[in-house]
Amino acid sequence: MAETSQSPNEDEYHLKLLSIFYYIVAGLTALIGCFPIIHVLFGLAMIVVGAAEHRAGPLPILGGMLFTLIGGVVFVIFQAVAVCLLLTGRFLQSHRHHTFCLVIAVIICFSFPIGTVLGVFTILVLVRPEVRTLFGTD
């Protein structure tokens, strides 16, 4: 069984293609990550209404704070993941930070199904000796 060696142009093409896919997934992640803003707005409305009606007690205010906090945390997490994906796309394109790209590829594998496919293909490309040479890591 003979091994097929990838040409440098083919490796660069694969890295460029992967970087485009990372940009797309980063955009989708940032967009989907905006949905928790609805929870934040609903929580703020609960706080305002609860504060306006003193007879309702502290329960609506606490519930509103919980909605706001959870929605805000989920929003921040999604946006942080989107930034990491965007950076990975940029680093793959410019052949820098091999380890960072590999770590993000492993993490994105847990995002089934698109992230799994993208992460596995990224790992398969990044572990090639020729690609490691492009990144300057040996």
Side-chain angles (χ1 to χ4, degrees):
M1 189 168 166
E3 284 188 32
T4 58
S5 178
Q6 303 285 328
S7 69
N9 290 337
E10 203 168 340
D11 289 331
E12 289 180 15
Y13 175 72
H14 289 162
L15 289 171
K16 182 176 181 180
L17 208 58
L18 283 171
S19 71
I20 292 170
F21 289 136
Y22 270 94
Y23 290 144
I24 292 169
V25 173
L28 289 173
T29 303
L31 180 66
I32 292 170
C34 289
F35 286 115
I37 292 175
I38 296 169
H39 285 80
V40 171
L41 294 175
F42 187 71
L44 291 174
M46 287 175 64
I47 293 170
V48 168
V49 169
E53 297 180 8
H54 297 292
R55 58 189 151 100
L59 194 56
I61 295 174
L62 292 175
M65 287 181 180
L66 187 64
F67 260 80
T68 304
L69 180 67
I70 291 174
V73 167
V74 171
F75 173 78
V76 168
I77 289 171
F78 266 86
Q79 300 311 315
V81 169
V83 168
C84 288
L85 292 171
L86 186 71
L87 287 174
T88 302
R90 178 157 305 198
F91 293 155
L92 286 171
Q93 195 172 17
S94 62
H95 308 182
R96 295 182 303 155
H97 305 291
H98 183 269
T99 306
F100 178 83
C101 294
L102 200 55
V103 168
I104 296 299
V106 170
I107 291 172
I108 200 68
C109 282
F110 292 106
S111 177
F112 185 80
I114 296 172
T116 304
V117 173
L118 183 60
V120 168
F121 283 134
T122 304
I123 293 168
L124 290 175
V125 169
L126 287 177
V127 297
R128 290 187 206 149
E130 298 87 8
V131 174
R132 290 180 63 85
T133 304
L134 281 174
F135 275 82
T137 58
D138 287 330

